[in-house]
């Protein structure tokens, strides 16, 4: 039973998928369903009309026949021998009615019939009858006794069992009064004729349904095939085959669609080519400029270091200028380094120096490099690392750079509120989440934040003095590890960045040990902030900044307060 149920389930899923994906199937099935409904309604109406007309013709013929029979009965009873018994006189009349040589039988259009003559009992006289009296319904006899000519449909025995019949009755006037005349007309021939007609209607309906199916299939095919061809052309065009075009045949709607598609493809191809040329030019420009600036920057750096080393001998104004020159050269070198790194990624020459190590060391190194930013911004760093070592094959320089960029970005946009770093791992994947409770991200900015030089609010003052390439380089570094770097956020509720890396080099991300939810981190950050505001001592770490299980004790429960001190 389970195998049958599984087979039926798979069949149902296959049919459902075919129904959703095939326009031709939906058109054909819909056409057949509507056609079947029309054929059934039309067949029912035609069958009802034919049945009614056949029965009306039968009743009219039976009425004429019983009128002739009534006259025959009256005449024969008047001319019969009064001395004969009533039963013999009735049998004689019954035989005359069924005799084909009797006057009027040659014009009989009602078909075969069985007459029944009944003389009701009166006083000591018993009821006398001739013919199958038990086949006459009692309800019909009531109408005839009231002097009415009536008929009724009933069933009577025939050669093969029981069949339908029309029973018509009328009172007859004679010296024997009252007398009831009934004529039983079998409807076997009409039933056969009706079955033949219904069979013809059914056969015609099936043939018509088949023809409609073929017509709808042909019509749908004429429409669907060009659409399918256009879909294949569009898929190949999307894959980068910019020379693909649709053939144009005729001047109908499909031809106009092909012309419009080709025009659109031509415009897109031209624009894509222009953008590629512009992008390549921009990459070459970035690479050339960054390489060309290294030599003069080295010379300027040597001169600035020389001036800075002898700044004690300078006047205060010149000494301050030397300090500013050194600081700006530091920023310029950082920008140049980022430009060189992004140009390596663009050129496809970035290499991954992977080694097995404990990722917690990368997290600690990144935290140490942003301590001064936390002190300047007044933010508290909430750190939650696993108790056990998290070993993975990664490039420590690149992973540390990713975490440093994420932490610096969170501190820069955290508005002085706590910033959390949390790490969790399973058998295949390592996830690190950096969350803040600051400005947050508006809808759609979770993708834009990784663009080069993109800023949510260009007018806002930056604390970290970033180059605008940090998150873009972090995204490239994550891709180099076959990992993922994702962002989420909400205005005024903060932002969350999740780095997910495979533990084995060459494999991909198959699970997510930590969720990517703003709601999962904001309450913990607010609680940590409230605790830190109410106490002089640094806040203890280990706060739950996500919705997943902590997976054991927190070894690195470290919070770095605004002064840069640590509490363990």
């Amino acid at each position: 039973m389970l195998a049958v149920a599984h087979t039926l389930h798979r069949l149902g899923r296959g049919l459902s998928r075919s129904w959703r994906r095939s326009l031709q199937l939906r058109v054909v099935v819909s056409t057949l369903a509507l056609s079947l409904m029309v054929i059934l309604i039309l067949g029912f109406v035609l069958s009802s009309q034919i049945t009614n007309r056949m029965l009306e013709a039968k009743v009219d013929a039976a009425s004429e026949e019983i009128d002739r029979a009534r006259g025959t009965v009256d005449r024969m009873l008047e001319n019969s021998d009064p001395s004969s018994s009533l039963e013999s006189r009735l049998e004689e009349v019954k035989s005359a009615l069924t005799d084909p040589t009797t006057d009027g039988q040659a014009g009989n259009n009602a078909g075969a019939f069985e007459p029944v003559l009944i003389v009701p009992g009166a006083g000591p006289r018993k009821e006398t009858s001739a013919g199958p009296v038990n086949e006459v319904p009692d309800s019909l006899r009531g109408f005839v006794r009231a002097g009415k000519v009536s008929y009724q449909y009933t069933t009577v025995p025939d050669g093969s069992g029981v069949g339908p019949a029309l029973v018509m009755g009328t009172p007859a006037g004679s010296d024997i009064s009252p007398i009831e005349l009934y004529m039983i007309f079998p409807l076997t021939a009409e039933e056969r004729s009706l079955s033949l007609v219904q069979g013809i209607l059914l056969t015609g309906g099936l043939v018509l349904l088949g023809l409609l199916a073929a017509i709808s299939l042909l019509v749908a095919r004429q429409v669907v095939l060009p659409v399918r061809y256009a879909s294949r052309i569009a898929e190949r065009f999307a894959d980068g085959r910019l020379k693909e075009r649709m053939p144009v045949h005729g001047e109908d709607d499909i031809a106009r669609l092909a012309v419009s598609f080709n025009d659109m493809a031509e415009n897109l191809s031209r624009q894509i080519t222009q953008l590629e040329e512009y992008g390549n030019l921009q990459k070459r420009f970035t690479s050339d400029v960054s390489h060309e600036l290294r030599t003069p920057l080295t010379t300027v750096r040597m001169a600035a270091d020389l001036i800075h080393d002898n700044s004690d001998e300078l006047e205060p104004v010149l000494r301050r200028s030397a300090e500013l020159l050194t600081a700006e050269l530091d920023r310029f070198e950082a920008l140049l380094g980022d430009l060189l790194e992004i140009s390596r990624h663009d050129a496809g020459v970035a290499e991954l120096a992977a080694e097995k190590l404990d990722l917690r060391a990368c997290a600690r190194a990144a935290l140490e490099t942003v301590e001064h930013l936390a002190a300047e911004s007044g933010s508290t760093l909430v750190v939650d690392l696993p108790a056990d070592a998290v070993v993975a094959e990664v490039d420590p320089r690149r992973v540390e750079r990713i975490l440093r960029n994420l932490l610096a970005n969170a501190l820069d946009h955290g508005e002085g509120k706590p910033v959390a770093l949390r790490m969790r791992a399973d058998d295949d994947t390592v996830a690190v989440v950096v969350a803040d409770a600051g400005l947050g991200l508006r809808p759609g900015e979770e993708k834009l934040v990784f663009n080069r030089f993109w800023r949510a609010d260009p007018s806002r003052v930056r604390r970290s003095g970033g180059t605008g390439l940090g998150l873009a380089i972090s995204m490239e570094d994550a891709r180099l590890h076959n990992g993922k770097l994702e962002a989420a956020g909400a205005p005024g509720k903060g932002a969350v960045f999740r780095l997910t890396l495979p533990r084995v080099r060459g494999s991909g991300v198959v699970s997510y040990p930590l969720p990517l939810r703003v709601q999962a981190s904001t309450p913990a950050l607010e609680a940590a902030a409230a605790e830190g505001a109410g106490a002089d001592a640094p806040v203890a770490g280990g706060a739950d900044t996500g919705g997943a299980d902590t997976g054991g004790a927190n070894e690195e429960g470290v919070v770095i307060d605004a002064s840069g001190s640590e509490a363990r």
Side-chain angles (χ1 to χ4, degrees):
M1 291 297 294
L2 292 177
V4 174
H6 183 65
T7 302
L8 293 177
H9 179 68
R10 291 182 59 186
L11 180 61
R13 289 181 58 187
L15 292 176
S16 177
R17 183 169 57 253
S18 299
W19 176 263
R20 294 193 306 268
R21 300 183 61 181
S22 177
L23 175 62
Q24 186 175 3
L25 178 62
R26 292 200 300 270
V27 171
V28 173
V29 172
S30 301
T31 303
L32 288 181
L34 294 175
S35 301
L36 180 60
M37 186 182 302
V38 172
I39 290 173
L40 289 176
I41 294 174
L42 182 60
F44 176 77
V45 172
L46 289 177
S47 179
S48 299
Q49 291 293 325
I50 292 172
T51 302
N52 292 336
R53 294 297 177 85
M54 291 176 64
L55 293 178
E56 288 176 1
K58 187 70 173 181
V59 169
D60 293 340
S63 298
E64 296 178 0
E65 184 62 27
I66 201 169
D67 289 340
R68 289 195 294 267
R70 184 171 57 244
T72 302
V73 170
D74 294 342
R75 185 174 61 256
M76 291 190 65
L77 288 177
E78 289 177 358
N79 297 329
S80 63
D81 186 1
S83 61
S84 300
S85 65
L86 181 58
E87 292 181 358
S88 61
R89 296 172 66 185
L90 293 179
E91 287 291 340
E92 182 181 359
V93 174
K94 175 178 175 296
S95 298
L97 291 176
T98 56
D99 187 358
T101 62
T102 305
D103 295 341
Q105 288 297 321
N108 180 16
N109 295 323
F113 62 87
E114 182 73 19
V116 178
L117 295 170
I118 301 175
V119 177
R125 188 180 66 186
K126 297 182 179 181
E127 182 178 276
T128 306
S129 63
V133 180
N134 57 342
E135 297 179 3
V136 179
D138 293 336
S139 57
L140 180 61
R141 291 192 62 184
F143 284 101
V144 175
R145 287 171 185 171
K148 299 179 181 179
V149 179
S150 303
Y151 65 89
Q152 183 175 342
Y153 297 103
T154 184
T155 56
V156 298
D158 55 14
S160 60
V162 179
L166 171 65
V167 181
M168 182 164 285
T170 181
S174 65
D175 58 341
I176 304 174
S177 183
I179 185 172
E180 302 171 11
L181 171 62
Y182 299 94
M183 302 182 72
I184 302 174
F185 298 91
L187 299 177
T188 306
E190 284 75 12
E191 187 178 28
R192 287 196 298 267
S193 300
L194 183 59
S195 299
L196 178 62
V197 171
Q198 290 176 344
I200 294 174
L201 290 176
L202 179 61
T203 304
L206 293 177
V207 172
L208 180 60
L209 191 64
L211 293 175
L212 289 175
I215 293 173
S216 62
L217 182 63
L218 179 61
V219 173
R221 185 179 179 83
Q222 291 178 347
V223 176
V224 171
L225 282 182
V227 175
R228 289 179 179 173
Y229 189 76
S231 176
R232 289 194 294 268
I233 294 295
E235 290 175 357
R236 289 197 290 266
F237 189 87
D239 289 338
R241 304 177 187 176
L242 303 181
K243 299 299 182 181
E244 293 288 342
R245 298 293 184 270
M246 285 185 62
V248 180
H249 302 292
E251 299 179 357
D252 55 8
D253 295 335
I254 300 298
R256 290 195 292 272
L257 172 63
V259 172
S260 301
F261 179 87
N262 292 339
D263 292 341
M264 178 192 68
E266 187 66 31
N267 293 331
L268 287 177
S269 177
R270 189 184 307 112
Q271 294 179 10
I272 291 173
T273 303
Q274 292 175 354
L275 290 175
E276 288 179 348
E277 293 176 353
Y278 176 74
N280 293 331
L281 179 62
Q282 186 181 43
K283 292 177 181 178
R284 286 197 304 271
F285 176 78
T286 302
S287 177
D288 294 343
V289 168
S290 57
H291 283 83
E292 291 296 331
L293 287 177
R294 294 182 65 180
T295 300
L297 179 62
T298 303
T299 304
V300 174
R301 165 59 71 181
M302 293 174 61
D305 290 341
L306 180 61
I307 296 174
H308 186 269
D309 292 340
N310 297 280
S311 59
D312 295 339
E313 303 175 0
L314 300 177
E315 297 180 1
V317 175
L318 296 177
R319 185 184 307 116
R320 178 57 179 164
S321 299
E323 293 176 355
L324 293 176
L325 176 62
T326 302
E328 292 303 318
L329 279 175
D330 291 338
R331 293 186 59 185
F332 191 72
E333 283 184 336
L335 174 60
L336 183 59
D338 288 344
L339 288 174
L340 288 171
E341 186 64 27
I342 205 71
S343 65
R344 293 190 190 99
H345 283 290
D346 291 338
V349 296
E351 296 181 355
L352 190 68
E355 59 181 89
K356 280 190 175 183
L357 54 85
D358 186 357
L359 284 182
R360 298 180 303 171
C362 297
R364 297 189 191 103
L367 287 167
E368 291 176 359
T369 58
V370 297
E371 289 181 6
H372 68 285
L373 295 178
E376 293 174 1
S377 63
S379 297
T380 301
L381 290 175
V382 182
V383 184
D384 182 10
L385 300 180
D388 299 328
V390 181
V391 179
E393 292 184 67
V394 297
D395 186 336
R397 180 179 64 88
R398 297 183 185 277
V399 173
E400 180 185 343
R401 181 168 57 194
I402 295 174
L403 298 180
R404 182 174 66 249
N405 287 331
L406 295 181
L407 289 169
N409 182 75
L411 291 170
D412 192 35
H413 297 82
E415 299 296 305
K417 298 177 182 179
V419 172
L421 182 145
R422 189 181 190 200
M423 179 185 295
R424 286 294 180 269
D426 56 24
D427 294 337
D428 303 307
T429 314
V430 181
V432 182
V433 166
V434 176
D436 65 77
L439 295 175
L441 296 173
R442 290 186 290 269
E445 291 184 348
E446 65 275 1
K447 302 296 183 182
L448 298 175
V449 73
F450 297 107
N451 291 348
R452 301 175 185 182
F453 303 107
W454 182 86
R455 296 182 64 182
D457 185 5
S459 63
R460 201 176 63 84
V461 177
R462 298 175 62 96
R463 296 188 183 91
S464 62
T467 63
L469 293 172
L471 292 180
I473 295 175
S474 299
M475 174 65 77
E476 296 296 336
D477 287 338
R479 290 174 179 170
L480 203 60
H481 285 85
N482 288 337
K484 292 185 177 180
L485 182 58
E486 303 162 284
K493 295 184 179 180
V496 179
F497 289 81
R498 180 178 65 187
L499 172 65
T500 313
L501 301 174
R503 301 188 70 166
V504 179
R505 181 180 180 180
S507 59
V509 174
V510 296
S511 60
Y512 296 92
L514 286 175
L516 182 66
R517 296 197 304 265
V518 179
Q519 294 80 359
S521 60
T522 301
L525 296 180
E526 292 178 352
E531 185 179 353
D536 295 334
V539 182
D544 185 7
T545 59
D549 186 11
T550 58
N554 177 23
E555 179 195 37
E556 297 295 331
V558 181
V559 175
I560 304 176
D561 63 3
S563 63
S565 60
E566 297 185 6
R568 296 186 183 271

